[in-house]
């Protein structure tokens, strides 16, 4: 309900109050996690919200308790190619759907939309078995390769998102380049891709988040500890003999941090990207 | 640009996706269907796949854990989907107010949805801790003796629903964009007609965001049925299978017990259930989803 600023009445004060209370509910667990990560083990069991003394060494201890940098490296080995593959093939396919009229395009596009609805469980087992058959389990490849084929599941959404945007680019732009003798590939690389910067950034961010958050994929494909990603490593931390909550929370914060920093830097693309997804109406 | 020779180049551009569709979607779907009618000890080669007809499905319908996981998933979806929608709409309406600081509030509410599920889970394992968790501490201020949450079969599922409520940020953002599509003049007209806040909400806002509700309902149902990471990390289905989500049970069958045929059959049942629910929502949508464009025709 949009009401103008000049009548900041009782109901609006009430609304503001509710928003503040809600924000507290969102923030308190986070702040408490941060505060726990700075406590001594004894203090964790006490009931003061803030630590008496800030034990920053919990962070360095946590990093040493699990092979943090190894897990970080593994995560990045997956992340970088996946981002390149997803953005590149996503843009490529989106261009194909946005600017060409080949036979069966409508049907193929409908199939693309339908794959967004397909639960990943149906393809999970056979895809795992496929990679097992060719001897690629316990390697990063099953987590990387699909990104170069438009991406599993989420790939369709990316193509859809970029295509919607590309359709909004005036045809005259690429047609005049065509008249000037540019071929399709040059048009894609020099005109369409640079102009689609906004959805490409949005897709990159979603891809980063997807890989950073991915749990089930690494869980299924990676068996040996030295191949674990951060998300997987953190969950194993919990299962370790006698959990030290302060250290566990320090590790939790460390895994959250890159996602949160990226979010604050790129929130515009984030929020717009998500809003666009609501444009897919029935 | 419309000669057929250059248009054929379109196939080249969509080739990556087309190959992906065959290798990672259609192929696996066919293989999965075959597996669901087979028994296969994965350790031996593909040759040892044995056709067993409907045996997997028969076994599933006599499997108490199948019903348990279905029950857990249904309860979760039936409670959390409507609850999340109502909460998100209310917060989105508040966040849609024109006032300073709204951008700041939007950031705060959206923040939890970018935190990795594993990290959120770890955080909440600590929050739910019965002795030194902050939740029971806070309940204590009101004289309420909090339960053991994740260790108590009566509360574990509820705990996961409570945790989910914390992260409804992205649903809020989608509603917010839906709300921004509601024309301002409708509210002004409503106000002139003497409609109060609630009247304006139920007669203007709510009908006009039904397409967004529709979208979120479908996404919510699909998401609810695919719930995995949090349950795996926090409770691993326990205590007493009270949080044995369907997807978790499927994972156990496939990747712990390596009963791929059975698990494939489970995945097809899940697919059919999701499809039925989605179709139900789509079919019902003509009764309650209102498209602004419609009445202009």
């Amino acid at each position: 309900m949009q009401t103008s600023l000049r009548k900041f009445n009782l109901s609006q004060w009430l609304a503001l109050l509710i928003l503040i209370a809600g924000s507290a509910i969102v923030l308190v667990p986070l702040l408490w996690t941060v505060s726990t990560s700075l406590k001594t083990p004894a203090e964790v069991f006490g009931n003061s919200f803030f630590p008496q003394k800030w034990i920053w060494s919990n962070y360095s201890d946590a990093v040493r308790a699990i092979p943090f940098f190894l897990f970080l490296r593994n995560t990045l080995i997956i992340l970088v190619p996946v981002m390149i593959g997803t953005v590149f093939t996503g843009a490529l396919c989106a261009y194909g759907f946005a600017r060409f009229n080949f036979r069966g395009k409508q049907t193929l596009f409908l199939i693309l939309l339908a794959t967004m609805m397909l639960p990943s469980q149906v393809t999970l087992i056979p895809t795992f078995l496929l990679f097992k058959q060719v001897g690629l389990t316990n390697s990063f490849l099953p987590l990387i390769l699909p990104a170069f084929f438009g991406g599993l599941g989420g790939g369709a959404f990316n193509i859809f998102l970029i295509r919607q945007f590309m359709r909004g680019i005036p045809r005259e732009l690429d047609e005049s380049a065509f008249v000037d003798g540019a071929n399709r590939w040059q048009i894609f690389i020099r005109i369409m891709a640079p102009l689609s910067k906004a959805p490409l950034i949005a897709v990159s961010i979603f891809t980063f988040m997807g890989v950073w958050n991915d749990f089930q994929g690494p869980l299924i494909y990676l068996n040996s500890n030295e191949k674990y990603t951060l998300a997987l490593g953190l969950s194993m931390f919990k299962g370790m003999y006698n959990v030290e909550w302060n250290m566990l929370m320090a590790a939790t914060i460390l895994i959250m941090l890159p996602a949160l920093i990226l979010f604050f830097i790129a929130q515009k693309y984030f929020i717009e990207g998500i809003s666009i997804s609501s444009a897919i109406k029935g | 640009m419309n000669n057929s020779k250059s248009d054929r180049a379109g196939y080249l551009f969509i080739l990556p996706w087309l190959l992906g569709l065959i290798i990672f979607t259609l192929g696996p779907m066919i293989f999965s269907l075959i597996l669901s009618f087979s028994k296969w000890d994965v350790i031996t080669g593909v040759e040892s796949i044995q056709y067993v007809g409907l045996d997997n499905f028969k076994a599933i319908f006599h499997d108490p854990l199948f019903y348990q996981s279905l029950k857990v998933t249904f309860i979760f979806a039936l409670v959390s989907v409507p609850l999340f929608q109502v909460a998100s709409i209310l917060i989105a309406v508040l966040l849609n107010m024109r006032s300073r600081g709204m951008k700041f509030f939007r950031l705060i509410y959206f923040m939890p949805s970018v935190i990795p599920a594993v990290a959120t889970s770890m955080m909440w394992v600590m929050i739910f801790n019965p002795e030194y968790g902050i939740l029971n501490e806070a309940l204590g201020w009101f004289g309420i003796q909090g339960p053991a949450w994740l260790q108590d079969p009566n509360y574990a599922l509820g705990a996961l629903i409570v945790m989910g409520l914390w992260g409804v940020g992205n649903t809020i953002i989608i509603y917010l964009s839906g709300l921004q599509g509601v024309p301002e003049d409708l509210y002004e007209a409503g106000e002139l007609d003497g409609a109060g806040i609630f009247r304006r909400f139920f007669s203007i806002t709510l009908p006009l965001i039904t397409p967004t509700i529709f979208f979120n309902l479908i996404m919510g149902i699909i998401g609810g049925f695919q719930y995995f990471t949090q349950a795996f990390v926090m409770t691993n289905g326990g205590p007493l299978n009270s949080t044995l989500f369907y997807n978790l049970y499927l994972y156990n069958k496939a990747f712990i017990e390596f009963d791929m045929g059975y698990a494939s059959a489970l995945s097809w049942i899940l697919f059919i259930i999701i499809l039925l629910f989605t179709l139900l929502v789509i079919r019902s949508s003509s009764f309650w989803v209102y498209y602004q464009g419609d009445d202009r025709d």
Side-chain angles (χ1 to χ4, degrees), chain A residues 69-181:
Chain A
F69 292 103
L70 178 69
F71 293 165
L72 177 67
R73 201 200 74 176
N74 294 342
T75 310
L76 292 177
I77 290 176
I78 298 168
L79 180 71
V80 174
V82 167
M83 281 184 77
I84 294 170
T86 304
V87 174
F88 180 68
T89 55
L92 215 59
C93 300
Y95 176 55
F97 276 116
R99 282 295 198 260
F100 294 85
N101 283 311
F102 43 87
R103 263 186 64 193
K105 188 173 94 163
Q106 299 305 327
T107 317
L108 284 174
F109 195 67
L110 268 178
I111 294 175
L112 179 115
L113 293 179
T115 58
M116 286 201 257
M117 301 286 232
L118 184 75
S120 57
Q121 285 78 5
V122 176
T123 53
L124 187 73
I125 295 167
T127 310
F128 169 80
L129 294 172
L130 173 84
F131 280 117
K132 197 179 163 61
Q133 204 67 33
V134 291
L136 287 177
T137 44
N138 202 26
S139 84
F140 300 126
L141 284 171
L143 301 167
I144 294 171
L145 283 178
F148 288 88
F149 295 93
L152 277 176
F157 174 70
N158 297 335
I159 295 172
F160 178 81
L161 198 73
I162 305 167
R163 183 199 87 123
Q164 292 300 91
F165 187 89
M166 281 184 173
R167 274 161 58 101
I169 297 173
R171 268 182 186 270
E172 291 77 37
L173 276 174
D174 42 315
E175 274 174 8
S176 65
F178 193 64
V179 172
D180 288 344

